[in-house]
Amino acid sequence: MDPRLVLAEESNKRLATTLQHYRNWAGQLLARYQMANPDASRPPRRIYVGGLPAGTTEAALRQFINEVMIRTGAVASAGFPISNCKVYSDKNYAFLEFRSVEEASNCMAFDGMVFNNTYLRIRRPNNYDYNTAVTLGFTEPNPVIDLNQLEIVRTVVQDSPNKLFIGGLPCEWSEDQVKEKLTPFGMLKAFNLVMDKTTGNSKGYAFCEYQYPEVTDAVIDTLNLQTVGSKTLTVKRAVAGQAAPQVTHALPQHVQHMPAAVTDAFTMQQHRRLQQATQAFMGPVATTLAGLPQ
């Protein structure tokens, strides 16, 4: 076996043991905090899930997210991460409560994943307080969660040079109808049709970003000023003053540089992921210590 792989495997074992040691320690700190503030950890352990398909049951949603989190490595320990699930079927949303703050934060990584042909909106609850949450555990998902096996279109479109504004949409159009207009150009990375909570219809505009930014200019050139019924579309970059970034390759880097040995690549990838996880875990430790009762 390649000596580099032997070293990587040995390093993987050390990193995994170290990461579990940090988790155990953080669990003890969290237990002390919860004894002094019994209600403090509940909001950071709760997650809002919107956009549920009609007829979704608590058992079905709970089973689906439990299985996804286990399959993708988003759980902190053995067993199912969700401790409670409440579905409000009249409004198509639910609240999940997790057994740990870390696992609730990990669930945020699944915003936009598909459940029964619908893209879920995953958010923090309204009473989530970052300053409290950061003393109890991670506030960001673990970077080693494997999202490659999932179909995800984010429902929050972050500001970037390739974020597109699509205005002039018919207000009666659904998300699927708008996406049908956009997906011929490529796979979407993120999409948000802005809705009017009073009427239940859209406000006539949306934001999106594509998986491959090379198509952004083509979308603008093709769809801007296009007539849709009695409307005229306005399609442009959403962030004013942003120029198109330089494209240095037509295909993703991992496609251009596929390794000769898949097993070797997997071992090295696991090594990098464990390094990332260990580094990410130590981020909030100082803040956690500062927040502990004396």
Side-chain angles (χ1 to χ4, degrees):
M1 181 182 286
D2 189 327
R4 294 175 301 171
L5 298 179
V6 174
L7 290 173
E9 288 180 356
E10 292 176 353
S11 181
N12 286 351
K13 293 177 182 178
R14 289 195 299 271
L15 285 168
T17 302
T18 301
L19 184 58
Q20 188 57 52
H21 175 67
Y22 287 149
R23 278 204 173 103
N24 294 339
W25 176 50
Q28 294 171 358
L29 298 179
L30 179 58
R32 285 179 54 198
Y33 192 99
Q34 289 175 332
M35 288 179 62
N37 304 274
D39 297 326
S41 73
R42 194 171 183 221
R45 289 189 291 112
R46 297 179 78 227
I47 292 294
Y48 164 90
V49 182
L52 295 177
T56 298
T57 65
E58 292 174 355
L61 180 63
R62 185 171 185 157
Q63 179 180 357
F64 172 75
I65 294 184
N66 274 333
E67 290 178 353
V68 166
M69 292 188 67
I70 290 171
R71 191 170 74 247
T72 58
V75 293
S77 58
F80 296 129
I82 298 175
S83 59
N84 190 40
C85 173
K86 176 64 176 175
V87 171
Y88 297 84
S89 55
D90 57 327
K91 296 184 177 179
N92 297 326
Y93 69 82
F95 280 100
L96 306 177
E97 187 168 328
F98 290 83
R99 60 186 175 179
S100 71
V101 174
E102 177 180 358
E103 287 167 330
S105 294
N106 285 347
C107 186
M108 293 294 292
F110 302 108
D111 174 51
M113 73 175 169
V114 177
F115 171 63
N116 290 346
N117 299 316
T118 301
Y119 293 92
L120 298 179
R121 295 176 179 271
I122 296 180
R123 303 285 189 273
R124 298 288 192 180
N126 289 336
N127 62 345
Y128 175 79
D129 179 67
Y130 172 83
N131 291 326
T132 300
V134 77
T135 66
L136 300 174
F138 295 117
T139 57
E140 297 294 332
N142 191 324
V144 306
I145 296 172
D146 183 9
L147 300 177
N148 293 326
Q149 56 186 289
L150 300 176
E151 179 186 348
I152 292 181
V153 178
R154 301 290 182 197
T155 64
V156 176
V157 188
Q158 302 291 344
D159 286 345
S160 79
N162 298 300
K163 178 180 180 179
L164 287 176
F165 167 84
I166 304 99
L169 295 166
C171 293
E172 65 273 13
W173 273 22
S174 66
E175 287 192 356
D176 287 341
Q177 287 174 295
V178 180
K179 285 178 180 177
E180 284 178 11
K181 200 75 176 169
L182 300 172
T183 52
F185 297 91
M187 294 174 57
L188 291 170
K189 176 182 179 181
F191 172 84
N192 180 34
L193 178 62
V194 181
M195 306 299 291
D196 186 324
K197 295 181 180 179
T198 303
T199 65
N201 292 330
S202 83
K203 291 186 176 182
Y205 63 93
F207 297 94
C208 78
E209 183 176 356
Y210 285 87
Q211 288 281 1
Y212 300 110
E214 296 88 336
V215 306
T216 303
D217 287 325
V219 176
I220 296 172
D221 293 341
T222 304
L223 296 184
N224 188 44
L225 301 181
Q226 186 178 107
T227 301
V228 179
S230 61
K231 300 265 192 172
T232 300
L233 297 182
T234 298
V235 181
K236 60 183 180 180
R237 282 186 164 79
V239 183
Q242 291 277 17
Q246 293 295 316
V247 177
T248 57
H249 53 82
L251 294 174
Q253 293 277 3
H254 70 276
V255 175
Q256 293 189 26
H257 304 290
M258 287 293 287
V262 175
T263 303
D264 292 0
F266 177 78
T267 301
M268 299 305 291
Q269 181 186 56
Q270 291 297 99
H271 176 64
R272 289 192 297 270
R273 285 182 170 179
L274 281 167
Q275 284 182 318
Q276 289 177 327
T278 304
Q279 292 166 359
F281 197 94
M282 293 306 295
V285 167
T287 310
T288 302
L289 288 172
L292 286 173
Q294 300 299 320

